[in-house]
């Protein structure tokens, strides 16, 4: 059995789903946020992989953190962006050539208070799904 890369297509599939379904007026979607990128945005953060396959098979549990940053006079824009990302991913099909995905499950979120500037809010949401060669 040849082991294939499931991490890159998992990341790319999450980004594609977010870009397709998160309204751009709520925030942009990134794999890497360049310095001085203005909020609002969502970025794919940490990706954790665990081996769930049996001997001779490849199945991986993929855990993806999404990082959100907004600015404003309340948390409302942050909460709207986080909800849009959840609606885009939870229970929705992910697609990548050569990979079969289970639909993502929402695991939880953390929402911050305003940052030291009084107008920057941040959040993290975590999703899990299984990936295996198609």
């Amino acid at each position: 059995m040849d082991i294939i890369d499931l991490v890159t297509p998992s990341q790319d599939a999450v980004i594609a789903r977010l870009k397709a379904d998160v309204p751009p007026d709520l925030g942009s979607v990134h794999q890497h946020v360049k310095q001085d990128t203005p909020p609002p945005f969502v970025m794919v953060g940490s990706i954790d992989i665990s081996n769930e396959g049996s001997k001779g098979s490849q199945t991986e549990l993929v855990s993806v953190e999404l990082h959100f940053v907004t600015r404003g006079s309340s948390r409302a824009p942050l909460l709207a962006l986080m909800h849009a990302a959840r609606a885009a991913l939870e229970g929705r099909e992910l697609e990548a050539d050569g990979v079969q995905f289970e639909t993502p499950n929402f695991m939880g979120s953390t929402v911050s208070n305003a940052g030291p500037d009084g107008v920057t809010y941040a959040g993290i949401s975590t999703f899990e799904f299984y990936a295996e060669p198609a």
Side-chain angles (χ1 to χ4, degrees):
M1 177 186 85
D2 291 330
I3 301 294
I4 69 165
D5 174 16
L6 296 174
V7 181
T8 302
S10 293
Q11 173 187 262
D12 294 348
V14 167
I15 290 170
R17 174 63 58 205
L18 291 170
K19 284 186 175 187
D21 292 346
V22 172
D25 61 314
L26 291 180
S28 55
V29 177
H30 303 271
Q31 180 270 320
H32 170 77
V33 177
K34 294 179 183 175
Q35 184 174 339
D36 300 323
T37 299
F41 59 79
V42 56
M43 178 190 81
V44 174
S46 298
I47 301 173
D48 295 315
I49 306 296
S50 62
N51 180 15
E52 299 290 325
S54 58
K55 186 175 181 176
S57 71
Q58 182 183 5
T59 301
E60 296 173 1
L61 178 61
V62 181
S63 178
V64 177
E65 280 187 358
L66 300 181
H67 297 210
F68 304 85
V69 179
T70 63
R71 285 199 183 117
S73 58
S74 76
R75 280 190 196 153
L78 174 64
L79 298 175
L81 179 56
M82 292 177 77
H83 176 75
R86 180 176 179 179
L89 291 175
E90 187 173 15
R92 302 284 306 277
E93 296 293 328
L94 298 176
E95 297 178 6
D97 289 341
V99 180
Q100 180 177 325
F101 298 104
E102 182 180 277
T103 59
N105 292 313
F106 172 72
M107 302 308 291
S109 289
T110 300
V111 178
S112 77
N113 292 320
D117 64 2
V119 296
T120 301
Y121 293 87
I124 296 175
S125 291
T126 305
F127 295 85
E128 285 186 348
F129 54 90
Y130 288 95
E132 60 187 20

